[in-house]
Amino acid sequence: MLMAILILSMQSAFSQLSTLGIFQDRTDVGNPKIPGTIKYNPETGEYVISGSGQNIWGTHDDFHFVWKKLKGNFILDARIAFKGKGKNAHRKIGWMVRQSLDPNSAYADAAVHGDGLTSLQYRKSANAETEEVKSTVTAPDFVRLERKGNSFIMQSAHYGEPLQEAATLNLDLGDEVYVGVFITSHEEQLAEQAVFSNVRISIPAKEDFVPYRDYSSSNVEILEVASGDRKIIFSSTDPIEAPNWMRDGSALIYNSKGLLYKLPLKSLQPSLINTDFAKRNNNDHVLSFDGKYLGISNQNTKQAGSTPSMVFIVPVTGGIPQQVTMTGPSYLHGWSTDRKSLVYCAERNNKFDVYSIPVTGGEEKRLTDAEGLDDGPEYSPDGKYIFFNSNRTGSMQIWRMNPDGSGQEQVTNDEFNNWFAHVSPDGKKIVFLSFPKEVSASDHPHYKQVTIRLLTLNGKDKPKVLAYVYGGQGTINVPSWSPDGKRIAFVSYTFPDNYY
């Protein structure tokens, strides 16, 4: 009998886990007349929740809450939408951080109403009246709520557009809080439904973390370009950077702790790629257009000891790397379509510029000489252009030039610092990583709130946000398009839940 009870208990726990995804539990807070529900799809990462309740307002709340407990700082992201037209314009969905599960608890939430009103709502203490700061963004379908110390920052956007900050609130809810998504129908006898997708809870780095010594956990993600839907396919407590899609579409190649790994998309079991003496590889690995060779940037040579980063090539199946550049540091980024030339960023005489060199080695050719930093060169699939990023105008922007360095022209021109343009297989679009203007135009650090953006190369469209990401260095340093041009791969980061 005891064994049967234990088995049932384990089955119930597993069922709860598979139903709740990244969350711990769900609760009807207050006294909703219709119990809330949740349906979680582990394939898509999508949550469909329903709930009733008279409101989240005044001194008492009634709603359905799907939550987990957290301490310290965190960033909460999700695409959100009501299902159906609904009845009451004041129904609400969004993210909530709550001191307790009592209906009169202190809390802060990022709430989107049925009529599109969006606000940062909060109750300063138990039994206090609810207050709010309204956003200028109406009916956003992407919402971010961040806790940083005792500050709560709400940002929102219509998917595809940059985030806009709605409000910053100073509110002490204590260290450990309930964090999750919520719904209230504003109708006691009626339940509403909402869909939450691309749900991410990111634990950011502490302010005293040391770059290149302290690393977070890593999530390898695949994004459908047409829809923006994201899926985490592989996670690791080790640092992972720069997933590069193999030409046959069967696997990704990424770097971790100086080594390169192949990640088959069917088995999701990584295997080490033999690079012999090259055991200090960074995140600048590039596949040849025919998929047979891998270019790497590595700080070891056949001789003992380390050197500045040099460029090597090695068969994609592994082998002994052949050294191409003899001067460092050199950081590889592009391979010509005819497989005869490599392009890379190199520091010469205390200045970083773009250079090219024959794959067989020899004399390198300097392609850029403007003041500032030029980096991230990559050939377009037709061989017509080399795209690169440059801060010669003050901010980091995407540029392109002819393969011989002539005809340099600016491609992006906005408030962000844009790095690492990757050209789609059909040559019509680029994706790139955008840092906020607060980050130095000469830096691309780890652990920042960044976006991956898409630009159609027709001279008319503006960049579109594909993903709002906690990432930065290592997120998308290398060509990351699937061979059919429908998906991209990238890495997002988060520290453990017990980090703070």
Side-chain angles (χ1 to χ4, degrees):
M1 183 66 177
L2 181 60
M3 181 61 71
I5 293 173
L6 180 60
I7 291 173
L8 287 173
S9 177
M10 291 174 64
Q11 289 175 340
S12 175
F14 178 78
S15 175
Q16 184 87 324
L17 178 65
S18 63
T19 300
L20 294 174
I22 63 173
F23 298 102
Q24 291 174 240
D25 209 342
R26 62 187 184 91
T27 308
D28 280 323
V29 176
N31 188 33
K33 302 301 182 184
I34 303 173
T37 66
I38 179 173
K39 293 181 180 179
Y40 170 65
N41 185 336
E43 275 299 307
T44 63
E46 185 177 88
Y47 300 80
V48 179
I49 67 171
S50 71
S52 59
Q54 56 84 28
N55 203 356
I56 302 172
W57 197 253
T59 61
H60 177 96
D61 306 322
D62 293 323
F63 65 99
H64 191 59
F65 191 32
V66 183
W67 55 266
K68 69 184 298 183
K69 284 186 174 182
L70 284 177
K71 294 181 179 181
N73 296 341
F74 45 76
I75 303 166
L76 314 174
D77 287 344
R79 292 180 70 176
I80 64 176
F82 286 103
K83 289 195 74 174
K85 294 182 178 180
K87 179 179 180 181
N88 197 305
H90 296 289
R91 65 193 187 278
K92 302 171 189 174
I93 55 176
W95 282 106
M96 180 178 289
V97 181
R98 201 167 181 90
Q99 197 170 62
S100 78
L101 297 178
D102 297 332
N104 63 348
S105 171
Y107 75 91
D109 72 26
V112 178
H113 298 60
D115 62 359
L117 171 66
T118 305
S119 59
L120 176 60
Q121 299 182 159
Y122 58 97
R123 184 179 291 125
K124 292 180 180 178
S125 60
N127 294 310
E129 291 285 340
T130 296
E131 302 177 62
E132 71 175 339
V133 179
K134 295 180 180 179
S135 170
T136 58
V137 180
T138 302
D141 52 5
F142 185 90
V143 173
R144 170 175 288 169
L145 182 61
E146 177 184 4
R147 181 167 84 165
K148 189 174 183 180
N150 287 335
S151 294
F152 288 87
I153 304 115
M154 175 186 172
Q155 295 175 288
S156 62
H158 300 114
Y159 175 72
E161 298 177 358
L163 286 168
Q164 294 187 40
E165 185 173 316
T168 298
L169 166 70
N170 188 52
L171 179 64
D172 184 0
L173 294 179
D175 189 26
E176 186 172 59
V177 288
Y178 294 84
V179 173
V181 294
F182 72 88
I183 185 169
T184 185
S185 65
H186 210 288
E187 295 282 340
E188 291 189 352
Q189 302 300 329
L190 175 71
E192 296 277 8
Q193 276 193 324
V195 179
F196 294 77
S197 59
N198 293 355
V199 178
R200 301 289 184 271
I201 297 179
S202 304
I203 309 300
K206 296 177 182 178
E207 292 187 2
D208 61 352
F209 94 101
V210 179
Y212 302 102
R213 188 199 71 184
D214 302 333
Y215 288 98
S216 71
S217 298
S218 308
N219 296 318
V220 179
E221 301 199 38
I222 288 180
L223 179 144
E224 299 284 344
V225 173
S227 65
D229 292 336
R230 296 163 54 179
K231 182 179 180 180
I232 296 174
I233 64 164
F234 183 74
S235 296
S236 175
T237 56
D238 288 331
I240 290 177
E241 295 182 317
N244 195 324
W245 218 301
M246 293 188 69
R247 301 303 187 196
D248 63 3
S250 66
L252 303 174
I253 293 175
Y254 66 81
N255 64 284
S256 179
K257 294 183 175 180
L259 302 175
L260 294 170
Y261 293 84
K262 179 181 177 181
L263 180 67
L265 296 179
K266 285 188 177 180
S267 70
L268 296 177
Q269 298 295 318
S271 60
L272 180 68
I273 297 174
N274 173 30
T275 53
D276 199 70
F277 62 85
K279 299 184 185 300
R280 297 188 66 190
N281 299 294
N282 65 21
N283 52 33
D284 299 324
H285 46 87
V286 180
L287 281 160
S288 58
F289 275 89
D290 62 8
K292 295 180 179 180
Y293 285 86
L294 187 64
I296 59 176
S297 304
N298 177 69
Q299 290 179 256
N300 290 101
T301 63
K302 292 181 181 180
Q303 291 73 38
S306 64
T307 64
S309 176
M310 301 287 188
V311 175
F312 300 78
I313 62 171
V314 64
V316 73
T317 53
I320 300 175
Q322 300 175 20
Q323 188 168 348
V324 180
T325 61
M326 297 299 166
T327 308
S330 301
Y331 304 100
L332 179 66
H333 282 277
W335 205 312
S336 64
T337 54
D338 60 9
R339 218 182 73 186
K340 293 182 179 180
S341 300
L342 301 173
V343 284
Y344 51 98
C345 170
E347 183 184 22
R348 305 290 185 261
N349 300 315
N350 298 314
K351 190 175 184 304
F352 284 95
D353 279 299
V354 173
Y355 290 79
S356 67
I357 195 170
V359 171
T360 54
E363 185 177 352
E364 63 183 13
K365 179 181 179 181
R366 184 178 179 180
L367 300 181
T368 63
D369 59 4
E371 289 298 318
L373 168 64
D374 297 322
D375 198 354
E378 181 178 312
Y379 281 92
S380 59
D382 60 6
K384 185 177 179 181
Y385 294 109
I386 294 172
F387 285 79
F388 65 102
N389 47 274
S390 174
N391 65 1
R392 64 184 68 182
T393 60
S395 63
M396 186 63 77
Q397 298 298 326
I398 305 300
W399 289 66
R400 69 181 180 184
M401 59 185 168
N402 298 323
D404 63 0
S406 64
Q408 296 182 20
E409 59 180 348
Q410 191 169 343
V411 176
T412 64
N413 184 17
D414 56 34
E415 62 182 306
F416 301 99
N417 288 306
N418 302 314
W419 289 77
F420 305 132
H422 305 306
V423 191
S424 60
D426 64 7
K428 296 180 180 180
K429 300 176 285 291
I430 57 173
V431 293
F432 53 93
L433 188 67
S434 294
F435 288 83
K437 57 186 177 182
E438 292 78 18
V439 175
S440 170
S442 61
D443 197 9
H444 53 292
H446 289 94
Y447 312 138
K448 296 294 181 181
Q449 296 180 33
V450 297
T451 55
I452 297 174
R453 296 200 290 165
L454 173 78
L455 177 63
T456 301
L457 298 171
N458 57 14
K460 301 176 182 178
D461 295 345
K462 294 182 179 180
K464 172 187 176 181
V465 176
L466 291 180
Y468 310 86
V469 180
Y470 185 67
Q473 169 72 297
T475 288
I476 191 167
N477 293 53
V478 300
S480 304
W481 286 89
S482 63
D484 60 9
K486 294 181 179 180
R487 296 171 290 170
I488 59 170
F490 66 95
V491 177
S492 59
Y493 300 111
T494 182
F495 286 83
D497 285 357
N498 61 0
Y499 178 60
Y500 286 90

